[in-house]
Amino acid sequence: MTTVADIVTKVRSKNAGPFWLTVDIFCGDAAAYDRVVTGLSTDRVAAVFDVAPETLKRFDIADLHVVKFSLPRPTIQGDIADRDMHGAGWAPLVAELALN
């Protein structure tokens, strides 16, 4: 079983403003990028984030060998219920996903 983390350079997550989170998958080269694009479905990423697939935005940026996902934050950044103020805890969820 090959995971995302096994073939990419880096997976990071961060704030994209107080209402959105972004997860970036830096593939490093064209082969890894192609493997991630074909082996990682938007539906699987949405399931691991526990969001509806239609709320997840996906950007496949071939020139940079980057796949990016953006999603609405479950709570507004800084709210008393916000357990991840900087959005850094979302990357490992994607990094551990198995590729098809």
Side-chain angles (χ1 to χ4, degrees), residues 19-54:
F19 306 107
W20 286 85
L21 295 165
T22 295
V23 178
D24 301 312
I25 305 170
F26 297 94
C27 300
D29 60 35
Y33 172 80
D34 290 341
R35 181 82 169 93
V36 170
V37 167
T38 59
L40 186 62
S41 73
T42 302
D43 289 343
R44 286 186 51 229
V45 175
V48 79
F49 290 155
D50 196 25
V51 298
E54 57 272 6

Side-chain angles (χ1 to χ4, degrees), residues 4 6 9 11 14-16 18 21 27 39-40 42 48 52 55-57 63 66 73 76-77 79 83-84 86-87 96:
V4 172
D6 290 336
T9 305
V11 180
K14 60 183 182 170
N15 286 326
L21 295 165
C27 300
L40 186 62
T42 302
V48 79
T55 65
L56 188 66
K57 296 182 180 184
D63 290 342
V66 171
R73 290 180 67 96
I76 296 171
Q77 181 188 15
D79 184 86
R83 298 183 56 134
D84 186 4
H86 301 288
E96 296 174 0

